[in-house]
Amino acid sequence: MLFPTLTFGLFFLVVFAVTWSANGSNEWRKILLLIASWIFYGAWDWRFVALLIGSAFLNWGAAGLIALQPDWAKTQRKAILIIGVIGNLIMLGFFKYYGFFVEQLGDVLRSVGFQRDLPLMQVVLPVGISFFTFQGMSYLADVHARRLAPARLLDVTLLMSFFPHLVAGPIVRGSDLLPQFQRAPRLTRDMASMGLILIVWGLFKKAVVASELSTGLVDPVFFDPSAHSRLDLIAAAYGYAVQIYCDFSAYSDMAIGIAALLGYRFPRNFNQPYRATSLQDFWRRWHISLSSWLRDYLYIGALGGNRKGFARLCLNVLITMLLGGLWHGAKWTFVIWGGLHGSVLALERIWDRYRPEGLPRLPKILALLVTFHIVVIGWILFRAETFDTAIAFLGGLATSTAASAVLTPLACVLIVFGMAIHFTPPDLGQRLALRLRTLPAPALGLIAGIVILIIDAMRFEGVAPFIYYQF
């Protein structure tokens, strides 16, 4: 069930009406939201609702056992945490990486003369499994560190199943959402106006900008880079940078807006990432819920951060980004993408530490351009289906002489628009929400409905699945 579809619109209207009619009982409201979330997930494949429930039971049970141990029983507490994390990783590893690792193992064995085929099952990847397993592991880590008290089974299950963030984030931590579940939500005018703005803005970015760039430019060029001109390749590289931003930030905006209309607040997930002046700055702005998760639970929590010296810091940064790349999918292109980002992040820290005194820093505009083009090179690796396709694409940027075949004026306009929105006032949405909050609720709903109809008239045929659905 995709957000920008009539099916989801009708589904949400029913959920909105039913849950707010239960405002006298917070427990019933949470039960209704949980059932709605399972229906939402089950619309893709009912079989995996059981996986979602099982994951919630695993993390609720492990967190409860951790909390039962006294503070002095550090070994037992840590052992339960490790078992819980391993349980989550086994679930994630089987569904997401089983085929990849069997293929790699088979290649290694064949390289040493062992020709026997290994058993390879066709495993269906559950939508959003990377998101809800990371959410479960962060909940366990927070309970272990006494940052969060263990929650009731209903609240933990709803935390991991809540449909706005379920399949493509943001990765909402228990410390952000569980306290909200413990009190009856309120829908203020500020939340309603901001929620509608985010939903409409996300719908426009996905249905108009991202979908058109995908079908009209990016997909044809990446399918066969060698058949396209240098101009097409450059445009497709920039086009994919805009597409993935508009696609993923659209989902986050709509998720945050939908949660707001239900009375809950999600953290911001994007903050104009292409105006970053370093790769460190980029990761403070891009997929903030993932980058902060990797920082807090992997880089600092598991690897030790900068506590073991500068060389270890740089190594930890590289390991974190390699694993962050692998989190996105079972392909070497994702690992190499993570390695590129990790290497540049480590080099930035080395340069900051050893930069000669008196040497001026790059002008801001130059630092922005350098950072953006490193990110774009990374996106080529990220988007390419195989490493050979990525090499063909990068090679074509220097050697291709074919005539331009797919670049259109509309694609150019969308690329320029997608970049320009990074340089608008960061609080533009809040300003607009302040103006709209004074309107009566029927007028606000009518305006939102009219804008949605206009967007529907502007959008092109069909709506492609969100890119991050596959992760």
Side-chain angles (χ1 to χ4, degrees):
M1 195 185 297
L2 297 174
F3 279 176
T5 60
L6 178 61
T7 302
F8 178 80
L10 295 174
F11 166 81
F12 179 70
L13 287 175
V14 172
V15 172
F16 181 84
V18 171
T19 53
W20 282 113
S21 68
N23 59 4
S25 170
N26 191 37
E27 296 305 300
W28 270 110
R29 193 174 195 278
K30 288 187 288 188
I31 292 171
L32 290 171
L33 284 173
L34 183 58
I35 294 171
S37 297
W38 288 342
I39 292 172
F40 172 82
Y41 197 68
W44 168 68
D45 193 326
W46 273 107
R47 296 173 299 172
F48 291 107
V49 174
L51 177 69
L52 191 60
I53 296 171
S55 178
F57 267 93
L58 166 67
N59 291 290
W60 168 75
L65 289 174
I66 291 170
L68 287 175
Q69 310 304 313
D71 287 339
W72 54 263
K74 293 182 179 180
T75 302
Q76 293 93 319
R77 289 168 53 80
K78 190 169 185 178
I80 297 169
L81 171 66
I82 291 172
I83 291 170
V85 169
I86 289 174
N88 280 284
L89 291 177
I90 288 174
M91 180 169 56
L92 178 63
F94 174 74
F95 284 103
K96 191 164 186 175
Y97 303 107
Y98 167 79
F100 175 73
F101 283 120
V102 169
E103 289 177 6
Q104 303 310 309
L105 179 59
D107 290 341
V108 171
L109 292 176
R110 281 189 291 273
S111 70
V112 296
F114 188 82
Q115 298 296 325
R116 184 175 177 181
D117 292 333
L118 296 176
L120 181 62
M121 296 184 293
Q122 295 298 318
V123 179
V124 177
L125 177 65
V127 171
I129 189 171
S130 297
F131 290 92
F132 64 75
T133 51
F134 266 39
Q135 197 168 32
M137 288 190 288
S138 67
Y139 170 65
L140 291 180
D142 286 344
V143 171
H144 175 265
R146 302 294 195 196
R147 291 188 292 261
L148 188 64
R152 299 167 55 207
L153 178 58
L154 174 60
D155 289 355
V156 174
T157 309
L158 183 56
L159 168 70
M160 298 189 63
S161 307
F162 195 29
F163 72 87
H165 69 69
L166 176 56
V167 297
I171 304 172
V172 186
R173 302 187 191 186
S175 55
D176 290 322
L177 199 50
L178 287 173
Q180 297 184 60
F181 287 158
Q182 294 169 9
R183 58 182 184 270
R186 292 178 60 249
L187 180 59
T188 65
R189 283 186 173 271
D190 288 338
M191 293 177 71
S193 57
M194 194 66 212
L196 287 172
I197 288 171
L198 287 170
I199 291 170
V200 169
W201 179 228
L203 181 63
F204 176 80
K205 286 191 292 184
K206 170 59 180 175
V208 177
V209 182
S211 290
E212 170 57 19
L213 283 174
S214 173
T215 57
L217 174 63
V218 174
D219 291 352
V221 174
F222 273 91
F223 179 75
D224 186 6
S226 61
H228 291 86
S229 70
R230 182 184 295 115
L231 182 60
D232 284 341
L233 295 172
I234 293 172
Y238 289 148
Y240 186 65
V242 172
Q243 179 202 343
I244 193 171
Y245 167 73
C246 287
D247 187 285
F248 192 20
S249 68
Y251 189 97
S252 292
D253 287 347
M254 296 176 76
I256 294 168
I258 290 165
L261 292 182
L262 294 172
Y264 301 102
R265 298 181 185 273
F266 284 180
R268 188 175 188 177
N269 208 27
F270 289 87
N271 183 19
Q272 299 178 315
Y274 294 151
R275 66 187 300 169
T277 54
S278 69
L279 215 57
Q280 294 178 62
D281 188 23
F282 173 79
W283 280 104
R284 296 187 195 105
R285 297 168 175 271
W286 176 271
H287 201 348
I288 299 168
S289 64
L290 174 64
S291 60
S292 62
W293 195 103
L294 292 172
R295 178 197 65 206
D296 294 343
Y297 299 107
L298 180 57
Y299 170 70
I300 296 174
L303 299 175
N306 61 0
R307 295 194 294 267
K308 298 181 181 179
F310 183 72
R312 182 61 182 270
L313 178 155
C314 294
L315 178 61
N316 288 344
V317 168
L318 180 58
I319 292 171
T320 298
M321 295 311 299
L322 284 169
L323 292 175
L326 187 62
W327 175 86
H328 284 84
K331 290 198 303 185
W332 283 114
T333 49
F334 289 133
V335 178
I336 297 168
W337 170 81
L340 171 66
H341 277 259
S343 299
V344 176
L345 286 167
L347 288 172
E348 286 183 349
R349 285 165 171 79
I350 293 169
W351 178 248
D352 287 342
R353 184 180 178 94
Y354 296 108
R355 181 170 61 91
E357 291 186 15
L359 187 67
R361 294 184 179 275
L362 286 177
K364 187 173 181 180
I365 183 64
L366 185 57
L368 186 152
L369 289 172
V370 170
T371 301
F372 174 69
H373 284 91
I374 291 172
V375 171
V376 170
I377 291 171
W379 286 143
I380 294 172
L381 293 164
F382 191 94
R383 174 60 180 80
E385 288 296 324
T386 65
F387 185 67
D388 289 342
T389 302
I391 294 300
F393 194 109
L394 292 168
L397 291 172
T399 62
S400 177
T401 58
S404 178
V406 295
L407 182 60
T408 63
L410 176 59
C412 294
V413 169
L414 293 177
I415 291 170
V416 171
F417 173 82
M419 293 304 302
I421 58 179
H422 283 78
F423 300 94
T424 58
D427 63 344
L428 187 60
Q430 289 89 331
R431 293 184 198 177
L432 182 57
L434 285 174
R435 292 181 179 273
L436 293 178
R437 69 184 299 275
T438 59
L439 294 176
L444 188 61
L446 179 62
I447 292 172
I450 291 172
V451 175
I452 289 173
L453 289 175
I454 293 171
I455 292 172
D456 185 65
M458 293 174 63
R459 73 179 177 90
F460 304 90
E461 187 66 26
V463 178
F466 286 93
I467 292 172
Y468 267 66
Y469 267 31
Q470 63 183 300
F471 306 140

